[in-house]
Amino acid sequence: MTKAHTSPLTDLLHRPRRLRRTPALRRMVRETHLTVNDLIYPLFVMEGEGQKVEIASMPGCYRYALDLLVKEVLECWELGINAIALFPVISESKKDHTGSESYNPQGLVQQTVRSIKQAVPDIVVITDVALDPFTTHGHDGLIDENGTIVNDPTVEVLVKMALSQAASGTDMVAPSDMMDGRVGAIRKALDAEGYINVGILAYSAKYASAYYGPFRDALDSAPKFGDKKTYQMDTANAREALKEVALDIAEGADIVMVKPALAYLDIIHQIRLETNLPIAAYNVSGEYAMIKAAANVGWIDEKKVILETLNSIKRAGADLILTYFAKEVALMLR
Ligand code: PBG
């Protein structure tokens, strides 16, 4: 190696730049490695056949009819993606006040799970447990005559929904509703029915975030009145997240999740210090949309920003990332 110029002004023992000098050195001391195994791909399924419709506020994401969704899932599996998270777009005519379509054995989610399991049996299928895609009012729970979201009666419906998803062959249920006690109730019911191997990915620290906007466009599920602040968490709170996580773990969660990811990296980090369970983070629709929008007008280098972003989520302490970039990243990492 050639000698370097030195200066009498510096007399350095430590020179951190030594380890950044070449790509090989940088690879040797790299602390965080993003792989395709970290990714969970959220996908939207709609009724019908032979169609896919791009979501305006999420360029590159589609609502797929079942046949095309199954093709997409197969492609993802071939790219090395281990898991998908499924979200249904339910037609208005099937929605009601109590979200009863959510536990219809012939419902869209149930049919989709069966079709995926037939075509791509080994991919991990994660189904969302929450009422908002199924209710006329767009809330995640049942409402009483005053418009209050009622907890325990909602949990009863969520349990029915989880059981019917389990019966259709899902690998994991993912309660995203933030009702109290739902993880324990779902675990108990699954076990009682013999579904001891169906896992629970709990949306443990889910914030009342403005970053869900594009997702609500995708599902047509924005609340028709009020907001979700009586069940989703206050965006200012961190200790409360630790409390929610502790409760979900005590109730039997297999994986805990923080959502959204980017504005909550500190929460991911704090939870990492508290639990040995796998931690998932949801890189949500608004986070996706911001990158896509800036990239679209040429303001950022999309691929680099995606990788840097997902790396930051892993570096904060997440093991798994739900991200709409999953397929793009799987292609990039090949
Ligand atoms: C609903 C649910 C939401 C998301 C996942 N499940 C929206 C909400 O709570 O209003 C958001 C996902 C995203 O924005 O990407 N239970």
Side-chain angles (χ1 to χ4, degrees), residues 44-322:
F44 302 105
V45 62
M46 64 178 188
E47 282 152 16
E49 221 184 282
Q51 271 203 319
K52 66 175 197 179
V53 183
E54 192 168 31
I55 298 152
S57 50
M58 301 174 72
C61 288
Y62 299 83
R63 305 164 161 195
Y64 294 92
L66 181 48
D67 53 334
L68 295 190
L69 182 93
V70 170
K71 276 173 76 178
E72 181 69 11
V73 172
L74 185 58
E75 263 179 52
C76 291
W77 179 245
E78 282 165 355
L79 283 171
I81 294 172
N82 292 311
I84 59 137
L86 205 54
F87 295 96
V89 186
I90 302 297
S91 54
E92 277 313 309
S93 63
K94 294 204 169 127
K95 296 184 184 182
D96 61 21
H97 223 56
T98 60
S100 60
E101 179 66 14
S102 67
Y103 52 87
N104 174 2
Q106 303 310 323
L108 182 58
V109 171
Q110 290 81 352
Q111 278 183 42
T112 305
V113 174
R114 286 193 291 266
S115 301
I116 294 173
K117 280 288 154 190
Q118 223 164 43
V120 200
D122 294 330
I123 200 161
V124 175
V125 176
I126 301 169
T127 43
D128 205 68
V129 178
L131 295 184
D132 52 323
F134 303 96
T135 52
T136 39
H137 45 75
H139 277 288
D140 295 38
L142 305 181
I143 51 174
D144 69 8
E145 57 285 1
N146 307 315
T148 303
I149 287 81
V150 291
N151 195 88
D152 298 15
T154 298
V155 172
E156 285 184 14
V157 183
L158 297 174
V159 164
K160 286 190 201 172
M161 187 175 173
L163 284 174
S164 99
Q165 293 174 352
S168 66
T170 199
D171 293 291
M172 292 203 134
V173 293
S176 73
D177 55 287
M178 289 301 279
M179 296 301 125
D180 295 334
R182 89 284 203 214
V183 170
I186 290 171
R187 183 70 273 156
K188 210 165 130 187
L190 288 172
D191 290 353
E193 296 292 324
Y195 298 116
I196 57 167
N197 291 322
V198 172
I200 300 181
L201 165 58
Y203 285 69
S204 301
K206 176 170 178 179
Y207 287 88
S209 169
Y211 284 98
Y212 306 149
F215 175 97
R216 293 177 187 171
D217 292 345
L219 254 56
D220 228 341
S221 65
K224 298 286 186 301
F225 68 91
D227 54 38
K228 298 192 174 186
K229 289 182 180 170
T230 69
Y231 43 109
Q232 298 180 351
M233 284 179 49
D234 188 325
T235 58
N237 292 357
R239 294 190 302 267
E240 189 186 358
L242 300 181
K243 174 170 113 183
E244 284 283 5
V245 165
L247 285 170
D248 284 359
I249 293 173
E251 290 176 30
D254 296 285
I255 302 175
V256 292
M257 177 144 71
V258 176
K259 176 183 177 185
L262 292 180
Y264 302 90
L265 294 178
D266 59 322
I267 309 298
I268 296 172
H269 178 67
Q270 288 190 59
I271 294 171
R272 178 74 292 157
L273 303 176
E274 299 271 329
T275 181
N276 293 320
L277 256 55
I279 299 172
Y282 201 140
N283 176 222
V284 299
S285 57
E287 300 172 7
Y288 175 87
M290 290 194 301
I291 291 179
K292 283 288 175 188
N296 189 38
V297 289
W299 290 350
I300 56 172
D301 180 325
E302 178 174 2
K303 287 195 161 95
K304 286 183 180 163
V305 168
I306 292 172
L307 292 176
E308 185 175 335
T309 301
L310 299 187
N311 241 299
S312 77
I313 299 170
K314 257 205 111 174
R315 196 187 63 238
D319 304 286
L320 297 164
I321 307 170
L322 284 88

